[in-house]
Amino acid sequence: MVAINQTSLQPASFLLLGMAGLEDLHIWLSIPFCLVYIAALLENFILLFVIVTEQSLHKPMYLFLAMLAVADLVLSSSTVPKALNIFWSLSKEMSFHACLTQMFFTHLSFIAESTILTTMAFDRYVAICNPLQYATVFMHSVIANIGLAAIAKSFCVMFPTIFLLQRLPYCGHSIMPHTYCEHMGIARLACASISVNIWYGFATTLLSPGLDIVLIGVLYVLILQAVFRLSSKDAQLKAVGTCSSHACIILMFYTPAFFSFFTHRFGQNVPHRVHILLANLYVLLPPMLNPIIYAMKNKLI
């Protein structure tokens, strides 16, 4: 018998349905999506412009903010424009390879941002707990290497998923009830075992952003311990206020993302519209809120 060419079992394109079951609300949902996305673009581009053009801001903390702004721009721009096209019924179709590309850059920017947030927590830890070593630890060459390491780590984690998805037969299944393409959302359409995809996604989630959130938590506990040893109550309150606002942003970033990741594996009883809505939160709200929390409260910026 002639072997079946596996590529023939891949759909030419996927049809994304957006918020399945809430089609009547798509126009109304597009309004907050559009406004939040525009705000995120303006805030992050302004932040980048200020940091690049102002020589006094060429310091580690602000360079990490610039990296975070770039990651936020890639994360939101990889997903929101297509979601708006779906809501406005302009184009719900996406080619198979375009879908893989969107999936790759969405997850790559998420992992990169997670790495940058961890580095920023370490930056604050060194600045508060070991200030005399700060200039030695965070030289410009080290900061550049950290940026390259964040990209390299994200690339190494996500590149195998392209091959894991391309090897699967889809048997003509091409309807995806989502606003954007993600690894397990694509894999669920396959008509073969996806156990390798499930375990790879589970392992990389725990070992990459999962480990990052643990490290961030430990670093902020150490920072708070150092802060409470200060004699000034005003300094304590200021540091606690800053840490709490950072913690809120971090929770807003990780909680919907982890919910989405683990719902694909263990949450079959979770209503689909709830899953899709939360999956959009971590690509919408943090890119808009990060510049406000991290930059607008900074007197130099």
Side-chain angles (χ1 to χ4, degrees):
M1 293 179 63
V2 179
I4 297 175
N5 184 358
Q6 187 168 327
T7 59
S8 66
L9 297 177
Q10 293 176 353
S13 62
F14 289 112
L15 184 67
L16 280 72
L17 301 181
M19 300 283 186
L22 297 176
E23 288 83 359
D24 293 341
L25 299 178
H26 273 184
I27 292 295
W28 296 106
L29 287 171
S30 71
I31 297 174
F33 269 66
C34 188
L35 293 176
V36 171
Y37 179 57
I38 292 172
L41 289 180
L42 290 175
E43 291 168 7
N44 284 288
F45 275 122
I46 291 171
L47 178 61
L48 281 172
F49 177 78
V50 171
I51 292 174
V52 170
T53 56
E54 184 58 49
Q55 192 68 30
S56 63
L57 298 180
H58 293 180
K59 298 176 182 178
M61 181 175 68
Y62 304 105
L63 295 176
F64 290 134
L65 277 176
M67 293 182 194
L68 187 68
V70 172
D72 279 335
L73 287 170
V74 175
L75 180 63
S76 57
S77 296
S78 297
T79 54
V80 180
K82 185 61 184 179
L84 292 175
N85 271 275
I86 295 169
F87 291 153
W88 294 333
S89 298
L90 297 176
S91 172
K92 296 185 177 183
E93 195 172 4
M94 180 177 280
S95 72
F96 178 76
H97 291 99
C99 196
L100 292 187
T101 302
Q102 185 189 52
M103 177 273 302
F104 177 79
F105 281 103
T106 301
H107 292 318
L108 180 141
S109 55
F110 172 81
I111 296 170
E113 181 159 341
S114 178
T115 304
I116 295 166
L117 288 172
T118 306
T119 307
M120 291 174 70
F122 183 65
D123 168 82
R124 292 299 85 201
Y125 167 76
V126 175
I128 293 172
C129 300
N130 296 286
L132 297 179
Q133 298 180 8
Y134 186 82
T136 304
V137 173
F138 289 105
M139 297 184 294
H140 280 189
S141 59
V142 173
I143 295 170
N145 288 332
I146 289 172
L148 293 174
I151 296 172
K153 171 189 171 184
S154 307
F155 183 86
C156 291
V157 170
M158 288 310 304
F159 193 64
T161 60
I162 294 176
F163 297 99
L164 289 175
L165 292 171
Q166 283 185 328
R167 70 181 179 88
L168 294 171
Y170 294 87
C171 307
H173 299 161
S174 61
I175 297 177
M176 188 182 302
H178 209 312
T179 57
Y180 61 89
C181 299
E182 54 181 354
H183 175 211
M184 289 309 301
I186 301 172
R188 292 289 179 192
L189 298 179
C191 53
S193 172
I194 60 171
S195 57
V196 175
N197 297 71
I198 291 174
W199 286 110
Y200 183 80
F202 185 72
T204 53
T205 299
L206 290 181
L207 295 176
S208 186
L211 183 59
D212 288 341
I213 189 65
V214 171
L215 290 174
I216 290 171
V218 170
L219 287 168
Y220 272 111
V221 168
L222 294 175
I223 289 170
L224 289 174
Q225 287 179 344
V227 166
F228 285 126
R229 288 197 291 266
L230 297 174
S231 57
S232 172
K233 290 293 183 182
D234 289 338
Q236 289 180 358
L237 291 174
K238 183 178 179 180
V240 169
T242 301
C243 288
S244 61
S245 61
H246 291 184
C248 290
I249 287 296
I250 288 167
L251 288 174
M252 181 63 70
F253 178 67
Y254 283 107
T255 303
F258 282 129
F259 180 88
S260 177
F261 295 155
F262 290 118
T263 296
H264 275 303
R265 293 152 185 85
F266 310 113
Q268 283 73 25
N269 294 326
V270 175
H272 200 72
R273 65 189 66 179
V274 174
H275 177 197
I276 303 306
L277 184 61
L278 289 176
N280 278 279
L281 281 184
Y282 79 90
V283 302
L284 268 175
L285 291 185
M288 181 192 71
L289 295 176
N290 281 339
I292 297 173
I293 299 299
Y294 285 107
M296 298 306 177
K297 294 180 69 175
N298 188 291
K299 292 181 180 180
L300 284 178
I301 295 180

